Amino acid sequence: MTQTIFEKIISRDIPAHIIYEDDLCIAFLDISPTAKGHTLVVPKQVYINIFDIDNGTFMHITSITKQLCEHICQRLSATGAHIVHNAGTSAEQVVPHFHMHIVPRYDDDEIKFWPSQKQQHDLVALAEVLRRT
Ligand code: 5GP
């Protein structure tokens, strides 16, 4: 089976700027950063996205993501951050190997990250459909 680009980073077949590694995951700088310190946190075992990762690995990844987010923001004097997971092509996922993005934000960085165009929906009906009992 074809390896993902992240598996090649994990096996050191291609280089990356690795900032953290443990038995279950690895974190490295995004090659095409949206902001200074943009980092990807990736499980060593391949899961495509949130729809197939197991709960234990997901919890470990989210815990490491929180720790690295605090660390990166402190080291780079970032004043905020986005934690992003793109799941599926409709959500613009490009690499089919689970990853969390840590995107640090800085005062006056002028990045437009969140869509300003909003939609209107029947929230009463939606909540009825979505409410879990
Ligand atoms: P996605 O759109 O799948 O959520 O994000 C994939 C991310 O992986 C992108 O931000 C892209 O810049 C990053 N990326 C793709 N190929 C490489 C690579 O070879 N090395 C590194 N460090 N990042 C990569």
Side-chain angles (χ1 to χ4, degrees), residues 10-35:
I10 291 163
S11 63
R12 307 310 203 259
D13 287 328
I14 66 166
H17 299 282
I18 296 167
I19 66 164
Y20 175 83
E21 183 170 17
D22 63 28
D23 288 346
L24 294 179
C25 73
I26 191 166
F28 49 87
L29 299 180
D30 195 297
I31 202 167
S32 186
T34 299

Side-chain angles (χ1 to χ4, degrees), residues 5-6 9 14-17 28-34 38 40 84-88 91-97 99-101:
I5 195 83
F6 295 165
I9 288 173
I14 66 166
H17 299 282
F28 49 87
L29 299 180
D30 195 297
I31 202 167
S32 186
T34 299
H38 182 169
L40 303 174
V84 177
H85 169 63
N86 298 325
E92 301 175 41
Q93 180 179 6
V94 174
V95 178
H97 184 151
H99 51 284
M100 300 285 275
H101 294 256

